[in-house]
Coordinates of all heavy atoms in Angstrom, one line a residue:
V1222 N -63.2 -13.9 28.5 CA -64.3 -14.7 28.0 C -65.6 -14.1 28.5 O -65.7 -13.8 29.7 CB -64.2 -16.2 28.5 CG1 -65.5 -17.0 28.1 CG2 -63.0 -16.8 27.9
V1223 N -66.6 -13.9 27.6 CA -67.8 -13.2 28.0 C -69.0 -13.8 27.3 O -68.9 -14.6 26.3 CB -67.7 -11.7 27.6 CG1 -66.6 -11.0 28.4 CG2 -67.5 -11.5 26.1
T1224 N -70.2 -13.4 27.8 CA -71.4 -13.6 27.0 C -72.0 -12.3 26.9 O -71.4 -11.2 27.2 CB -72.4 -14.6 27.7 OG1 -73.5 -14.9 26.9 CG2 -72.9 -14.1 29.1
C1225 N -73.3 -12.2 26.4 CA -73.9 -10.9 26.3 C -75.4 -10.9 26.6 O -76.0 -12.0 26.5 CB -73.7 -10.3 24.9 SG -74.7 -11.1 23.6
N1226 N -75.9 -9.8 27.0 CA -77.3 -9.6 27.2 C -77.8 -9.1 25.8 O -77.5 -8.0 25.4 CB -77.6 -8.5 28.3 CG -79.0 -8.3 28.5 OD1 -79.9 -8.4 27.7 ND2 -79.4 -7.9 29.8
P1227 N -78.7 -9.9 25.1 CA -79.0 -9.6 23.8 C -80.2 -8.7 23.6 O -80.6 -8.5 22.4 CB -79.3 -11.0 23.2 CG -79.9 -11.7 24.3 CD -79.2 -11.2 25.5
Y1228 N -80.7 -8.1 24.7 CA -81.9 -7.3 24.6 C -81.6 -5.8 24.7 O -80.6 -5.4 25.3 CB -82.9 -7.7 25.7 CG -82.9 -9.1 26.1 CD1 -82.6 -9.5 27.4 CD2 -83.2 -10.1 25.2 CE1 -82.6 -10.9 27.8 CE2 -83.2 -11.5 25.5 CZ -82.9 -11.8 26.8 OH -82.9 -13.1 27.2
T1229 N -82.4 -5.0 24.0 CA -82.3 -3.6 24.2 C -83.4 -3.1 25.1 O -84.4 -3.8 25.3 CB -82.4 -2.8 22.8 OG1 -83.7 -3.1 22.3 CG2 -81.3 -3.3 21.9
N1230 N -83.2 -1.9 25.6 CA -84.3 -1.2 26.4 C -84.2 0.3 26.2 O -83.1 0.8 26.2 CB -84.1 -1.6 27.9 CG -82.8 -1.3 28.5 OD1 -81.8 -2.0 28.3 ND2 -82.7 -0.2 29.2
C1231 N -85.4 0.8 26.0 CA -85.4 2.2 25.6 C -85.3 3.2 26.8 O -84.9 4.4 26.6 CB -86.8 2.5 24.9 SG -88.2 2.5 26.1
G1232 N -85.5 2.8 28.0 CA -85.4 3.7 29.2 C -86.6 4.6 29.4 O -86.6 5.4 30.3
K1233 N -87.6 4.5 28.5 CA -88.7 5.5 28.6 C -90.1 4.9 28.7 O -91.0 5.5 29.2 CB -88.7 6.4 27.3 CG -87.4 7.2 27.1 CD -87.4 7.9 25.8 CE -86.1 8.7 25.6 NZ -86.1 9.4 24.3
C1234 N -90.2 3.6 28.3 CA -91.5 3.0 28.4 C -91.9 2.6 29.8 O -91.1 2.7 30.7 CB -91.6 1.7 27.5 SG -90.6 0.3 28.1
A1235 N -93.1 2.1 30.0 CA -93.6 1.8 31.4 C -92.7 0.7 32.0 O -92.4 0.8 33.2 CB -95.1 1.3 31.3
S1236 N -92.3 -0.3 31.2 CA -91.5 -1.4 31.8 C -90.2 -0.8 32.3 O -89.7 -1.2 33.4 CB -91.3 -2.5 30.7 OG -92.5 -3.1 30.3
C1237 N -89.5 0.0 31.4 CA -88.2 0.5 31.8 C -88.4 1.5 33.0 O -87.5 1.4 33.9 CB -87.6 1.3 30.7 SG -87.1 0.2 29.3
R1238 N -89.4 2.3 33.1 CA -89.6 3.2 34.2 C -89.8 2.4 35.5 O -89.5 2.8 36.6 CB -90.9 4.0 34.0 CG -90.7 5.1 32.9 CD -92.0 5.9 32.7 NE -92.4 6.6 33.8 CZ -93.6 7.1 34.0 NH1 -94.5 7.1 32.9 NH2 -94.0 7.7 35.1
N1239 N -90.4 1.2 35.4 CA -90.6 0.3 36.5 C -89.4 -0.6 36.9 O -89.5 -1.5 37.7 CB -91.8 -0.5 36.4 CG -93.1 0.3 36.4 OD1 -93.2 1.3 37.1 ND2 -94.1 -0.1 35.6
G1240 N -88.3 -0.4 36.1 CA -87.1 -1.2 36.4 C -87.1 -2.6 35.8 O -86.2 -3.4 36.1
R1241 N -88.1 -2.9 35.0 CA -88.2 -4.3 34.4 C -87.8 -4.1 32.9 O -88.6 -4.3 32.0 CB -89.6 -4.8 34.6 CG -89.8 -5.2 36.1 CD -91.2 -5.4 36.5 NE -91.8 -6.5 35.8 CZ -93.1 -6.9 36.1 NH1 -93.8 -6.3 37.0 NH2 -93.6 -8.0 35.5
V1242 N -86.5 -3.9 32.7 CA -86.0 -3.5 31.4 C -86.1 -4.8 30.4 O -86.0 -4.6 29.2 CB -84.6 -3.0 31.5 CG1 -84.6 -1.7 32.2 CG2 -83.6 -4.0 32.1
N1243 N -86.1 -5.9 31.0 CA -86.2 -7.1 30.2 C -87.5 -7.2 29.4 O -87.6 -7.9 28.4 CB -86.2 -8.4 31.1 CG -87.2 -8.4 32.1 OD1 -87.2 -7.6 33.1 ND2 -88.2 -9.3 32.0
A1244 N -88.5 -6.5 29.8 CA -89.8 -6.5 29.2 C -90.1 -5.1 28.5 O -91.2 -4.7 28.3 CB -91.0 -6.7 30.2
C1245 N -89.0 -4.5 28.1 CA -89.1 -3.2 27.4 C -90.1 -3.3 26.2 O -90.0 -4.2 25.4 CB -87.8 -2.7 26.9 SG -87.8 -1.2 25.9
E1246 N -91.0 -2.3 26.1 CA -92.0 -2.3 25.0 C -91.3 -2.3 23.7 O -91.9 -2.8 22.7 CB -92.9 -1.1 25.2 CG -94.0 -1.0 24.2 CD -94.9 0.2 24.4 OE1 -94.7 0.9 25.4 OE2 -95.8 0.5 23.5
H1247 N -90.2 -1.6 23.6 CA -89.5 -1.4 22.3 C -88.3 -2.3 22.2 O -87.4 -2.0 21.4 CB -89.2 0.0 22.1 CG -90.4 0.9 22.3 ND1 -91.4 1.0 21.4 CD2 -90.7 1.8 23.3 CE1 -92.3 1.8 21.9 NE2 -91.9 2.3 23.0
N1248 N -88.2 -3.4 22.9 CA -87.0 -4.3 22.9 C -86.7 -4.8 21.5 O -87.7 -5.1 20.7 CB -87.3 -5.5 23.8 CG -86.2 -6.6 23.5 OD1 -85.1 -6.4 23.8 ND2 -86.7 -7.7 23.0
E1249 N -85.5 -4.8 21.1 CA -85.0 -5.4 19.9 C -83.9 -6.5 20.3 O -82.8 -6.1 20.7 CB -84.4 -4.4 18.9 CG -85.5 -3.4 18.4 CD -84.9 -2.5 17.4 OE1 -83.7 -2.4 17.2 OE2 -85.7 -1.9 16.6
T1250 N -84.3 -7.7 20.1 CA -83.4 -8.8 20.5 C -82.5 -9.1 19.3 O -82.9 -9.2 18.2 CB -84.2 -10.1 20.9 OG1 -85.0 -9.8 22.0 CG2 -83.3 -11.2 21.2
L1251 N -81.2 -9.4 19.7 CA -80.3 -9.8 18.6 C -80.8 -11.0 17.9 O -81.3 -12.0 18.5 CB -78.9 -10.2 19.2 CG -78.0 -9.1 19.7 CD1 -76.8 -9.7 20.4 CD2 -77.5 -8.2 18.5
G1252 N -80.7 -11.0 16.6 CA -81.2 -12.1 15.7 C -82.7 -12.2 15.5 O -83.1 -13.1 14.8
V1253 N -83.4 -11.2 16.0 CA -84.9 -11.2 15.8 C -85.2 -9.8 15.1 O -85.4 -9.7 13.9 CB -85.7 -11.4 17.1 CG1 -87.2 -11.5 16.7 CG2 -85.2 -12.7 17.8
Q1254 N -85.3 -8.8 15.9 CA -85.6 -7.5 15.4 C -84.4 -6.7 14.8 O -84.5 -5.7 14.2 CB -86.3 -6.6 16.4 CG -87.7 -7.1 16.9 CD -87.6 -8.0 18.1 OE1 -86.5 -8.4 18.5 NE2 -88.7 -8.4 18.6
R1255 N -83.2 -7.3 15.1 CA -82.0 -6.7 14.5 C -81.0 -7.8 14.3 O -81.1 -8.9 14.9 CB -81.4 -5.6 15.5 CG -81.1 -6.2 16.9 CD -80.7 -5.1 17.8 NE -80.6 -5.6 19.2 CZ -79.5 -5.5 20.0 NH1 -78.4 -4.8 19.5 NH2 -79.5 -6.0 21.2
N1256 N -80.0 -7.6 13.5 CA -79.0 -8.6 13.1 C -78.3 -9.1 14.4 O -78.0 -8.3 15.3 CB -78.0 -8.1 12.1 CG -78.6 -8.1 10.7 OD1 -79.4 -8.9 10.4 ND2 -78.1 -7.1 9.9
G1257 N -78.1 -10.4 14.4 CA -77.6 -11.1 15.6 C -76.1 -11.5 15.5 O -75.3 -10.9 14.8
A1258 N -75.8 -12.5 16.3 CA -74.4 -12.8 16.6 C -73.8 -14.0 15.7 O -72.7 -14.4 16.0 CB -74.2 -13.1 18.0
M1259 N -74.5 -14.5 14.8 CA -74.0 -15.6 14.0 C -73.0 -15.0 12.9 O -73.3 -15.0 11.7 CB -75.1 -16.3 13.3 CG -76.0 -17.2 14.2 SD -75.2 -18.8 14.5 CE -76.4 -19.5 15.6
R1260 N -71.9 -14.5 13.4 CA -70.9 -13.9 12.6 C -69.5 -14.0 13.3 O -69.5 -14.4 14.5 CB -71.2 -12.5 12.3 CG -71.4 -11.6 13.5 CD -71.7 -10.2 13.1 NE -73.1 -9.8 13.4 CZ -73.6 -8.6 13.2 NH1 -72.8 -7.6 12.8 NH2 -74.9 -8.3 13.4
E1261 N -68.5 -13.6 12.7 CA -67.2 -13.8 13.3 C -66.9 -12.7 14.4 O -66.3 -13.0 15.4 CB -66.1 -13.7 12.2 CG -66.1 -14.9 11.3 CD -65.1 -14.8 10.2 OE1 -65.3 -14.0 9.2 OE2 -64.1 -15.5 10.3
F1262 N -67.4 -11.5 14.2 CA -67.2 -10.4 15.1 C -68.5 -9.6 15.3 O -69.3 -9.5 14.3 CB -66.1 -9.5 14.7 CG -64.7 -10.1 14.6 CD1 -64.3 -10.7 13.5 CD2 -63.9 -10.1 15.7 CE1 -63.0 -11.3 13.4 CE2 -62.6 -10.7 15.7 CZ -62.2 -11.3 14.5
I1263 N -68.7 -9.1 16.5 CA -69.8 -8.2 16.7 C -69.4 -7.1 17.7 O -68.7 -7.4 18.7 CB -71.1 -8.9 17.2 CG1 -72.3 -8.0 17.2 CG2 -70.9 -9.6 18.5 CD1 -73.6 -8.7 17.4
A1264 N -69.8 -5.9 17.5 CA -69.6 -4.8 18.4 C -70.9 -4.5 19.2 O -71.9 -4.3 18.6 CB -69.1 -3.5 17.7
L1265 N -70.7 -4.4 20.5 CA -71.9 -4.2 21.4 C -71.6 -3.1 22.4 O -70.4 -2.9 22.8 CB -72.3 -5.5 22.1 CG -72.8 -6.7 21.3 CD1 -72.9 -7.9 22.2 CD2 -74.1 -6.3 20.6
P1266 N -72.6 -2.4 22.9 CA -72.4 -1.5 24.0 C -71.8 -2.3 25.2 O -72.2 -3.4 25.5 CB -73.8 -1.0 24.3 CG -74.6 -1.2 23.1 CD -74.0 -2.4 22.5
W1267 N -70.9 -1.6 25.9 CA -70.2 -2.4 27.0 C -71.2 -2.8 28.1 O -70.9 -3.9 28.7 CB -69.1 -1.5 27.6 CG -69.5 -0.3 28.5 CD1 -69.7 1.0 28.1 CD2 -69.9 -0.4 29.8 NE1 -70.1 1.7 29.1 CE2 -70.3 0.9 30.2 CE3 -70.0 -1.4 30.8 CZ2 -70.7 1.3 31.5 CZ3 -70.4 -1.1 32.1 CH2 -70.7 0.2 32.4
E1268 N -72.3 -2.1 28.3 CA -73.3 -2.5 29.3 C -73.9 -3.8 29.0 O -74.4 -4.5 29.9 CB -74.4 -1.4 29.4 CG -73.9 -0.1 29.9 CD -73.6 0.8 28.7 OE1 -73.3 0.3 27.6 OE2 -73.5 2.1 28.9
K1269 N -73.9 -4.3 27.8 CA -74.5 -5.6 27.4 C -73.5 -6.7 27.4 O -73.9 -7.9 27.1 CB -75.1 -5.4 26.0 CG -76.2 -4.4 25.9 CD -77.4 -4.7 26.8 CE -78.5 -3.7 26.6 NZ -79.6 -4.0 27.5
V1270 N -72.3 -6.5 27.7 CA -71.2 -7.5 27.8 C -71.1 -8.0 29.2 O -70.9 -7.2 30.1 CB -69.9 -7.0 27.2 CG1 -68.8 -8.0 27.3 CG2 -70.1 -6.5 25.8
I1271 N -71.2 -9.3 29.4 CA -71.2 -9.9 30.7 C -70.0 -10.8 30.9 O -69.9 -11.9 30.2 CB -72.5 -10.7 30.9 CG1 -73.7 -9.8 30.7 CG2 -72.5 -11.3 32.3 CD1 -75.0 -10.6 30.7
P1272 N -69.0 -10.5 31.8 CA -67.9 -11.4 32.1 C -68.4 -12.7 32.6 O -69.3 -12.8 33.4 CB -67.1 -10.6 33.2 CG -67.5 -9.2 33.0 CD -68.9 -9.2 32.6
A1273 N -67.8 -13.8 32.1 CA -68.3 -15.1 32.4 C -67.5 -15.9 33.4 O -67.5 -17.1 33.5 CB -68.3 -15.9 31.1
G1274 N -66.7 -15.1 34.2 CA -66.0 -15.8 35.3 C -65.0 -16.8 34.8 O -64.2 -16.5 33.9
G1275 N -65.1 -18.0 35.3 CA -64.2 -19.1 34.9 C -64.7 -20.0 33.8 O -64.1 -21.1 33.6
L1276 N -65.8 -19.6 33.2 CA -66.4 -20.5 32.2 C -65.7 -20.4 30.8 O -65.1 -19.3 30.5 CB -67.9 -20.1 32.0 CG -68.8 -20.2 33.2 CD1 -70.2 -19.8 32.9 CD2 -68.7 -21.6 33.8
D1277 N -65.8 -21.4 30.1 CA -65.2 -21.4 28.7 C -66.3 -20.9 27.7 O -67.5 -20.9 28.0 CB -64.8 -22.9 28.3 CG -65.9 -23.8 28.3 OD1 -66.6 -24.0 27.3 OD2 -66.1 -24.5 29.4
P1278 N -65.9 -20.5 26.5 CA -66.9 -19.9 25.6 C -68.0 -20.9 25.2 O -69.1 -20.4 25.0 CB -66.0 -19.5 24.4 CG -64.6 -19.3 25.0 CD -64.5 -20.3 26.1
R1279 N -67.7 -22.1 25.1 CA -68.7 -23.1 24.7 C -69.8 -23.2 25.8 O -71.0 -23.2 25.4 CB -68.0 -24.5 24.6 CG -68.9 -25.6 24.2 CD -68.1 -26.9 23.9 NE -68.8 -28.1 23.6 CZ -69.1 -29.0 24.5 NH1 -68.7 -28.8 25.8 NH2 -69.8 -30.1 24.2
T1280 N -69.4 -23.2 27.0 CA -70.5 -23.2 28.1 C -71.2 -21.9 28.1 O -72.4 -21.9 28.4 CB -69.8 -23.5 29.4 OG1 -69.1 -24.7 29.4 CG2 -70.8 -23.5 30.6

Side-chain angles (χ1 to χ4, degrees):
V1222 175
V1223 297
T1224 188
C1225 76
N1226 182 329
Y1228 325 120
T1229 63
N1230 53 284
C1231 69
K1233 300 177 182 179
C1234 70
S1236 299
C1237 289
R1238 289 176 62 191
N1239 290 328
R1241 290 162 66 176
V1242 296
N1243 57 292
C1245 175
E1246 180 181 354
H1247 306 293
N1248 168 64
E1249 293 186 345
T1250 299
L1251 284 175
V1253 185
Q1254 294 92 352
R1255 58 190 173 126
N1256 280 328
M1259 287 279 180
R1260 57 177 106 176
E1261 293 179 284
F1262 295 91
I1263 189 170
L1265 296 173
W1267 72 263
E1268 297 93 339
K1269 299 298 182 181
V1270 177
I1271 303 172
L1276 300 180
D1277 61 86
R1279 180 171 175 265
T1280 302

